[in-house]
């Protein structure tokens, strides 16, 4: 099969194959970095100062809306928290309902839409999705490597935690696309670590590996089985709110009570300075027995022994997670061939000691734990670039396959680069009360609107039993077999009514045309995302408008005339915003309507409950 290269900077398709560097990216919760392979060896790319390969995953919006990413943005966390976004990885692919009980953790505003649409972040009067924010980090990494190589890059492998679900993986891919990167593969972080340690090259009967990853704010452990170059995740466990920050916190608490710092801690600047000293103490104690420093008039001291007593409960918790992961994988510690250390916090000596006694073997720590995931991503990238012939490349789909959803949006079901054969199912529902038929239109391509993609066919699922909108459960299944034949099946799960079609997606399209479609989607990524965000805001607003109208109808008696009038005027404002094309205005009107109606909804609920209780003896 001939390979067709894309030159994004020139906007051209090259017929003859040209060797291109594919980059590897570790998009972390706390820090991110980029790496590539040079003559078969992975290396990470450092900043202009030549020192640090880590870029803090922090984004700051200046008052003129220009964006800072990395160290400069991190400095704004204390002075301007509302306009400074951190830990955005925690929000990828999440709805507000998913993060509702964690919202106090974030210093910035996450919009409460009270439903399961994806979260948005409000910075003054602008609304951003986690995808757009992650794209800012990716753009910074892309720029860094382009400056370093003095060449443009457009293809990437990005790593994600093994526990990421489809929505989180898709969001990561979308962020890459928005940053101008063609994401060839999403790779699990523990898999990347194992690649970096060269474990897949061992020709033995295969091996079992535990990857212990303690980062800045998260902990996870994965048990992997590697056989014939194939990686299988046997189990994962962890705590998404346990990391290096918590080690810093126990030091702060210790000093605070030892030196009576409560009064000083009311000052945000002092608090931040103390936090930095605590982190410095932690890092120093990874190499030395004692730490001593001053802050204002205070002398701060900590010995390694005291530090280890303080953090012991946290480390014990991570060991419990390791045991749980082993149990899920039905393995004993003796059956683990290698323990790999990942994440900056694994430099703490106590962690190494405890892991050694748990597993009965010395953990692998020869590679830099901050860099190991990015290095593995660069190795995977080099394999995809065709530079490593020992690895077999599986057959993959060249373009994404999906269906049309409300507003003419493309909903990708089988993403491009999926392995063949493949089978994926996703559930949908109706949007109109009593809807009997559902049209399923199948498209191929990377654009966000189906009108810009290639239509492969359509069919109608008939005889859906009449139900209110949103109640029927319709499963759409895509099955792509080894011969490249796609079977699309739609089934209403209550009535078991079903219909299907068969299509050959590669029929009538040349490789060059496919490459052109891909190029088009990269060129239009930003405009497409803007369209998608606008259409999604409209869809969401329309359902909020409908729900609000129903709400007034059912509860008018409970509210005062003024309240009903105000509520109606908020609805009217939202209706007007929906007519326009400014998604920030729609989101703002929606946010205001939700904020106004929330206390009313609570009152209505209380009222309805007490009505229901009347006359009943408890
Ligand atoms: P993430 O994967 O979440 O982006 P990292 O792997 O970059 O995070 O880990 C960042 C954490 O590592 C921070 O809490 C930092 O303080 C900690 N860390 C870095 N170096 C050391 C060290 N020498 N000793 C102890 N902790 C360290
Ligand atoms: Mg990490």
């Amino acid at each position: 099969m001939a390979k067709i290269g894309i030159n994004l900077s020139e906007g051209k398709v090259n017929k003859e194959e040209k060797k291109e560097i594919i980059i590897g990216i570790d998009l972390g919760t706390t820090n991110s970095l980029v790496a590539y392979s040079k003559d078969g060896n992975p290396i990470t790319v450092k900043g202009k100062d030549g020192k640090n390969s880590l870029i803090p995953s922090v984004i700051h919006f200046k008052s003129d809306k220009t964006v800072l990413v990395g160290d400069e943005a991190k400095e704004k966390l204390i002075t301007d928290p509302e306009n400074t976004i951190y830990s955005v990885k925690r929000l990828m692919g999440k709805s507000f309902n998913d993060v509702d009980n964690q919202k106090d953790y974030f210093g910035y505003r996450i919009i409460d839409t009270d439903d399961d649409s994806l979260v948005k972040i409000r910075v003054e009067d602008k609304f951003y999705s986690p995808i757009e924010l992650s794209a800012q980090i990716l753009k910074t990494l892309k720029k860094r490597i382009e400056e370093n190589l003095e060449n443009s890059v457009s293809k990437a492998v990005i790593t994600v935690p093994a526990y990421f679900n489809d929505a989180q993986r898709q969001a990561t891919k979308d962020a890459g696309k928005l940053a101008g990167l063609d994401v060839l593969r999403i790779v699990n972080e523990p898999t990347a670590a194992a690649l970096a340690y060269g474990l897949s090259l061992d020709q033995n009967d295969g091996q079992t590996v535990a990857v212990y990853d303690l980062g800045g704010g998260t902990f996870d452990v994965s048990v992997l089985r590697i056989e014939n170059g194939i990686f299988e995740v046997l189990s994962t466990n962890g705590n998404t709110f346990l990391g290096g920050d918590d080690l810093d916190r126990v030091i702060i608490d210790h000093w605070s009570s030892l030196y009576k710092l409560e009064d000083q801690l009311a000052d945000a600047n002092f608090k931040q300075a103390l936090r930095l000293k605590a982190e410095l103490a932690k890092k120093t104690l990874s190499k030395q027995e004692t730490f001593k420093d001053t802050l204002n008039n205070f002398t701060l001291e900590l010995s390694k022994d005291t530090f280890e007593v303080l953090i012991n409960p946290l480390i014990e918790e991570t060991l419990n997670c390791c045991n749980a992961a082993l149990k899920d994988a039905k393995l004993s510690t003796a059956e683990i061939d290698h323990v790999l250390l990942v994440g900056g916090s694994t430099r703490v000596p106590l962690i190494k000691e405890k892991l050694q006694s748990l597993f009965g073997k010395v953990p692998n720590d020869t590679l830099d734990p901050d860099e190991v995931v990015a290095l593995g991503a660069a190795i995977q990238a080099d394999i995809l670039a065709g530079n490593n012939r020992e690895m077999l490349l599986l057959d993959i789909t060249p373009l994404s396959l999906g269906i049309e959803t409300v507003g003419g949006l493309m909903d990708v079901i089988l993403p491009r680069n999926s392995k063949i054969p493949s089978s994926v199912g996703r559930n949908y529902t109706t949007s109109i009360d009593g809807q009997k038929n559902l049209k399923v239109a199948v498209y191929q391509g990377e654009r966000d609107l189906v009108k810009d993609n290639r239509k492969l066919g359509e069919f109608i699922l008939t005889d859906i039993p009449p139900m209110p909108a949103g109640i029927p459960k319709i499963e759409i299944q895509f099955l792509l077999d080894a011969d490249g034949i796609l079977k699309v099946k739609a089934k209403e799960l209550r009535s078991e009514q079903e219909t299907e079609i068969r299509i050959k997606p590669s029929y009538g399209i040349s490789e060059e045309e496919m490459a052109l479609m891909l190029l088009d989607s990269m060129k239009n990524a930003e405009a497409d995302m803007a369209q998608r965000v606008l259409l999604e805001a409209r869809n969401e607003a329309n359902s909020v408008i409908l729900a609000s109208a129903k709400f007034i109808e059912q509860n008018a008696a409970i509210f005062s005339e003024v309240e009903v009038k105000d509520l109606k005027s908020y609805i009217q404002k939202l209706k007007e915003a929906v007519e326009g094309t400014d998604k920030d205005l729609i989101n703002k009107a929606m946010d205001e309507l939700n904020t106004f109606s929330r206390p009313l909804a609570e009152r209505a609920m209380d009222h309805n409950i007490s009505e229901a209780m009347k006359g009943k003896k408890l």
Side-chain angles (χ1 to χ4, degrees):
M1 205 200 263
K3 272 212 181 125
I4 296 192
I6 293 179
N7 186 332
L8 266 186
S9 50
E10 290 170 33
K12 277 201 297 225
V13 169
N14 305 326
K15 269 254 189 101
E16 70 280 19
E17 189 184 340
K18 215 165 107 191
K19 272 271 166 347
E20 188 188 357
I21 288 181
I22 305 179
I23 62 176
I25 292 177
D26 172 2
L27 183 60
T29 311
T30 316
N31 296 301
S32 300
L33 61 161
V34 56
Y36 71 101
S37 286
K38 192 176 177 179
D39 308 322
N41 296 314
I43 43 177
T44 58
V45 183
K46 297 187 167 53
K48 283 208 183 92
D49 61 3
K51 275 198 210 131
N52 204 346
S53 57
L54 300 184
I55 294 185
S57 304
V58 183
I59 305 133
H60 173 72
F61 291 91
K62 296 207 284 191
S63 49
D64 62 2
K65 291 288 176 293
T66 53
V67 185
L68 295 177
V69 176
D71 287 308
E72 287 171 293
K74 196 176 170 183
E75 285 167 17
K76 304 285 181 189
L77 272 175
I78 292 299
T79 52
D80 194 3
E82 294 214 332
N83 298 314
T84 310
I85 316 295
Y86 56 91
S87 287
V88 65
K89 185 172 177 178
R90 294 184 185 282
L91 300 174
M92 290 291 265
K94 295 278 178 89
S95 71
F96 185 80
N97 286 341
D98 293 333
V99 295
D100 196 8
N101 57 354
Q102 307 166 4
K103 62 177 182 247
D104 294 338
Y105 167 89
F106 301 95
Y108 44 90
R109 272 198 71 192
I110 298 175
I111 296 308
D112 176 358
T113 49
D114 241 344
D115 60 16
D116 51 24
S117 53
L118 296 179
V119 295
K120 288 184 283 280
I121 292 127
R122 182 168 181 170
V123 179
E124 289 182 349
D125 275 351
K126 291 248 174 223
F127 293 76
Y128 299 95
S129 69
I131 295 173
E132 292 171 281
L133 296 167
S134 294
Q136 293 290 353
I137 300 172
L138 292 171
K139 274 184 193 164
T140 307
L141 294 169
K142 178 174 186 274
K143 190 159 161 251
R144 168 175 282 196
I145 191 166
E146 286 179 336
E147 281 171 5
N148 183 283
L149 296 174
E150 293 178 351
N151 220 326
S152 67
V153 297
S154 63
K155 292 184 176 165
V157 168
I158 304 180
T159 58
V160 298
Y163 58 79
F164 257 30
N165 64 24
D166 279 346
Q168 292 168 300
R169 284 165 199 264
Q170 188 58 46
T172 306
K173 275 190 189 173
D174 289 346
K177 186 165 148 190
L178 201 57
L181 290 169
D182 178 11
V183 182
L184 299 184
R185 191 70 62 89
I186 294 286
V187 177
N188 289 330
E189 287 161 10
T191 301
L195 276 169
Y197 272 104
L199 296 183
S200 63
L201 300 174
D202 215 311
Q203 299 296 323
N204 297 333
D205 323 326
Q207 10 201 354
T208 311
V209 182
V211 183
Y212 178 101
D213 183 346
L214 189 62
T218 60
F219 167 66
D220 50 275
V221 53
S222 313
V223 179
L224 304 181
R225 177 81 194 152
I226 308 167
E227 228 165 299
N228 304 322
I230 306 236
F231 292 75
E232 190 189 352
V233 179
L234 300 181
S235 65
T236 66
N237 207 294
N239 180 342
T240 49
F241 284 90
L242 173 60
D245 299 345
D246 299 285
L247 306 187
D248 303 345
R249 194 163 312 124
V250 293
I251 299 177
I252 295 172
D253 291 347
H254 170 70
W255 281 343
S256 165
S257 66
L258 187 64
Y259 303 125
K260 313 233 170 339
L261 303 175
E262 283 83 4
D263 292 346
Q264 278 73 21
L265 282 169
D267 171 11
N269 287 321
F270 182 87
K271 198 171 165 183
Q272 169 67 351
L274 190 69
R275 214 193 60 71
L276 292 175
K277 291 289 184 201
E279 187 177 5
L280 182 64
K282 172 184 76 177
K283 290 185 178 174
T284 306
L285 294 175
S286 291
K287 299 189 293 272
Q288 296 174 18
E289 295 299 313
T290 55
F291 171 83
K292 189 171 179 179
D293 203 348
T294 55
L295 178 62
N296 298 358
N297 302 319
F298 298 98
T299 303
L300 306 169
E301 280 186 281
L302 188 64
S303 71
K304 190 172 159 193
D305 290 342
T306 309
F307 175 59
E308 294 189 342
V309 172
L310 293 174
I311 62 170
N312 194 49
L314 298 173
I315 309 307
E316 283 297 323
E317 192 190 329
T318 67
L319 299 182
N320 291 339
C321 294
C322 292
N323 283 320
L326 286 169
K327 194 167 168 233
D328 286 345
K330 299 192 176 63
L331 292 169
S332 69
T333 50
E335 288 170 289
I336 299 294
D337 300 313
H338 300 277
V339 180
L340 307 186
L341 297 183
V342 178
S345 303
T346 58
R347 290 210 183 81
V348 173
L350 181 66
I351 294 179
K352 295 186 196 183
E353 288 159 24
K354 291 209 152 198
L355 283 173
Q356 181 166 348
S357 59
L358 176 67
F359 286 97
K361 53 184 68 70
V362 185
N364 296 36
D365 64 353
T366 48
L367 293 176
D368 184 333
D370 287 324
E371 298 194 337
V372 56
V373 167
L375 294 172
I379 293 172
Q380 175 71 62
D382 209 34
I383 295 167
L384 291 175
N387 294 332
N388 189 334
R389 269 156 290 143
E390 285 171 61
M391 293 286 200
L392 79 165
L393 273 177
L394 298 161
D395 247 353
I396 50 174
T397 54
L399 290 172
S400 302
L401 298 165
I403 62 166
E404 174 175 1
T405 56
V406 181
L409 283 169
M410 170 87 172
D411 201 20
V412 171
I413 295 188
L414 264 182
R416 81 186 219 85
N417 289 328
S418 298
K419 277 182 225 145
I420 297 176
S422 250
S423 135
V424 192
R426 191 173 297 165
N427 287 341
Y428 292 85
T429 187
T430 51
S431 55
I432 303 169
D433 288 340
Q435 189 172 332
K436 281 203 235 127
N437 298 327
L438 182 84
K439 187 174 90 178
V440 179
V442 183
Y443 286 83
Q444 177 181 47
E446 310 310 309
R447 301 287 301 273
D448 284 81
L449 297 182
V450 292
K451 72 174 175 53
D452 299 317
N453 287 330
R454 183 168 177 252
K455 188 165 182 178
L456 296 177
E458 68 172 49
F459 64 95
I460 293 173
L461 177 67
T462 54
D463 299 319
I464 302 171
M467 284 179 257
I471 299 296
K473 258 200 181 155
I474 299 159
E475 185 186 56
I476 309 259
Q477 237 195 346
F478 275 43
L479 297 126
L480 191 61
D481 70 16
D483 300 322
I485 308 284
L486 175 70
K487 186 163 94 180
V488 179
K489 198 161 94 180
K491 182 173 180 181
E492 202 289 303
L493 296 179
R494 286 166 215 275
S495 60
E496 305 216 326
Q497 193 64 29
E498 66 172 73
T499 317
E500 63 174 57
I501 51 167
R502 276 160 208 275
I503 310 165
K504 185 152 183 155
S506 61
Y507 185 77
I509 181 166
S510 70
E511 277 191 27
E512 190 174 352
E513 282 166 322
M514 285 192 211
L516 274 173
M517 283 176 73
L518 201 59
L519 180 60
D520 233 24
S521 79
M522 304 294 293
K523 277 200 223 154
N524 291 295
E526 249 168 82
D528 273 10
M529 175 62 90
Q531 272 285 343
R532 174 179 282 273
V533 175
L534 174 62
L535 286 171
E536 281 173 353
R538 277 192 190 145
N539 287 346
E540 207 183 318
N542 282 329
S543 61
V544 170
I545 291 170
L546 279 180
S548 303
K550 252 190 200 165
F551 175 69
I552 296 184
E553 205 178 291
Q554 288 164 350
N555 300 294
I558 308 169
F559 305 135
S560 74
E561 250 173 62
V562 180
E563 282 168 335
V564 173
K565 200 175 133 248
D566 285 351
L567 193 53
K568 282 188 175 160
S569 83
Y570 278 112
I571 296 174
Q572 185 54 33
K573 246 171 94 186
L574 181 55
K575 278 185 181 164
E576 281 159 23
V578 170
E579 298 294 316
T581 55
D582 182 348
K583 58 108 183 157
D584 288 316
L585 206 64
I586 299 174
N587 281 315
K588 199 168 154 223
M590 198 149 45
D591 193 24
E592 281 165 2
L593 171 57
N594 280 328
T595 309
F596 181 78
S597 63
R598 194 167 306 121
L600 297 186
E602 276 160 19
R603 234 168 71 209
M605 182 116 82
D606 290 346
H607 177 87
N608 294 338
I609 290 172
S610 68
E611 282 296 299
M613 292 296 203
K614 264 186 203 157
K616 280 187 197 164
K617 288 214 176 83
L618 286 175

